[in-house]
Amino acid sequence: MNVKTMYLEMVTHSQRSVPAPVDGLAVIHAVRPTLAYYRFLYDAVGRDWDWTSRKKLSGAELAQIIHDPRVEVHVLFAAGVPAGFAELDRRTEGEIELKQFGLMPEFIGRGLGRYFLQWTIDRAWSYRPKRLWLHTCNLDHPAALPNYQKAGFTVYKGETKPRE
């Protein structure tokens, strides 16, 4: 099976307004999350979509990334329960990569993704980067690419490679 990866970017803030679809939502910045907590979030969100890149890292390698002050982990809570997370990587001057983004399976299909994506976009643009970018692939949720495009991201590159 081949994996088709699409690279998307946003070079101006979309300024879109997405109201919270339900009451009781909160986004909390997990400052220097423990490795166990990060791995819980990563697995809970990515398990169904074959997320593996962070699982290949040693604890020291992962900590070096997620404990860098220019990497932010934000957790969406619905009625006090973790519902998803976003990771913004600001380590490259002038740009921000939305490195990880997604919801836990139990929260998909409730409009939370659209809301949380816009929250994450707004947070990223608060740093005034030259661009915000991400990549997604055909192994991700089928709504991922259309949601990113509706939020204002445009495809700038695509590539197909054999699955590892």
Side-chain angles (χ1 to χ4, degrees):
M1 176 183 174
N2 286 332
V3 177
K4 183 174 183 177
T5 303
M6 303 300 288
Y7 295 84
L8 297 95
E9 68 182 353
M10 184 183 288
V11 294
T12 58
H13 190 180
S14 62
Q15 303 289 342
R16 176 173 86 144
S17 177
V18 178
V22 295
D23 291 335
L25 296 180
V27 180
I28 305 295
H29 182 185
V31 180
R32 291 183 61 87
T34 63
L35 293 178
Y37 185 54
Y38 182 89
R39 286 184 167 137
F40 158 75
L41 294 169
Y42 186 86
D43 185 59
V45 169
R47 179 183 320 118
D48 293 344
W49 316 114
D50 201 35
W51 286 13
T52 58
S53 63
R54 293 293 171 87
K55 291 179 180 183
K56 297 174 185 174
L57 300 177
S58 71
E61 291 168 325
L62 182 58
Q64 185 176 8
I65 295 168
I66 66 172
H67 293 163
D68 188 304
R70 296 164 298 174
V71 174
E72 297 181 9
V73 176
H74 297 280
V75 184
L76 174 67
F77 286 85
V81 177
F85 87 107
E87 182 180 329
L88 294 172
D89 187 338
R90 300 184 289 113
R91 293 178 293 171
T92 301
E93 185 66 34
E95 63 182 49
I96 298 175
E97 180 182 3
L98 178 51
K99 188 70 178 173
Q100 313 294 339
F101 180 85
L103 299 176
M104 295 176 187
E106 302 84 358
F107 295 93
I108 292 173
R110 300 185 189 181
L112 300 179
R114 204 167 82 98
Y115 167 79
F116 188 37
L117 179 58
Q118 190 60 48
W119 185 96
T120 303
I121 289 167
D122 294 343
R123 173 69 181 208
W125 281 103
S126 75
Y127 292 105
R128 300 177 188 219
K130 290 182 176 63
R131 77 176 187 137
L132 171 62
W133 71 280
L134 62 90
H135 71 274
T136 188
C137 73
N138 60 313
L139 300 177
D140 284 335
H141 190 283
L145 179 60
N147 284 341
Y148 293 136
Q149 291 175 311
K150 286 176 194 165
F153 286 92
T154 57
V155 174
Y156 69 90
K157 181 172 83 171
E159 63 185 15
T160 302
K161 294 181 179 178
R163 187 173 182 179
E164 292 178 9

